[in-house]
Amino acid sequence: MHLQREKLVEGQSRAVGQYKVWRLTKKARELLGVKRRPVPFTVQLDHWLALADAYTTLKLAGGLRYFIPELREKIPGTDRMYCGDAYVHFRDMQFLLEVQRTPKSKEDWREKWERLLEWDRKGGVKQASFQCLYREPINPSVVVVTSQTYDVVSGGLIVPITIVKDIRELI
């Protein structure tokens, strides 16, 4: 309650039986030096919790060097973006992480991978924000955490992806 009175956090009530959702206010983000925009209250909370679970699991396992959530990478020469759930460097693996708790249609996956392939084909991966972490450009793989099958997740495209039902399978 103290943080709320000091206007450092703000909350939004949800349906009966669900917990209230909290986030840092603009004042708190400025005090802490947080540059990232706040997570909208309309965001899928389960999705953010799944990302937080992936981060926590990898961090506690040891060897997590980088975890950059909610990538927003411009596709060169277009006004479109590749939006991945996270870039991860865990032990000797560098990968783009997609976490999908609710089923997605084959067509939705196809669109996701077509955008990823376009981003790669137009040199976006070599210009990605995470490249500044390395001396030489890297080419990360793709890991998808989902209960869906490869046939559905691949969207009918031939894309080099690793599918796991749980992030712990990487440990």
Side-chain angles (χ1 to χ4, degrees), residues 92-155:
D92 62 347
M93 300 176 277
Q94 295 116 17
F95 56 92
L96 301 170
L97 178 65
E98 293 293 337
V99 177
Q100 192 63 40
R101 293 174 57 101
T102 56
K104 211 174 192 179
S105 74
K106 194 172 191 174
E107 186 55 37
D108 286 345
W109 281 113
R110 173 186 282 279
E111 288 175 22
K112 178 86 166 163
W113 303 135
E114 284 174 347
R115 191 159 288 203
L116 172 71
L117 292 170
E118 178 185 18
W119 177 55
D120 184 36
R121 190 174 57 252
K122 292 190 174 184
V125 174
K126 299 254 186 288
Q127 301 171 18
S129 59
F130 53 79
Q131 294 291 0
C132 69
L133 303 170
Y134 304 97
R135 291 178 195 224
E136 299 290 324
I138 61 152
N139 193 18
S141 59
V142 178
V143 173
V144 181
V145 179
T146 185
S147 60
Q148 293 184 277
T149 64
Y150 178 84
D151 178 55
V152 172
V153 175
S154 70

Side-chain angles (χ1 to χ4, degrees), residues 47-74:
H47 182 72
W48 274 88
L49 291 174
L51 276 177
D53 181 56
Y55 169 81
T56 304
T57 300
L58 297 175
K59 182 74 172 168
L60 292 175
L64 181 62
R65 289 185 61 194
Y66 304 113
F67 191 99
I68 305 170
E70 295 299 313
L71 292 177
R72 298 294 177 262
E73 301 288 342
K74 185 159 175 36

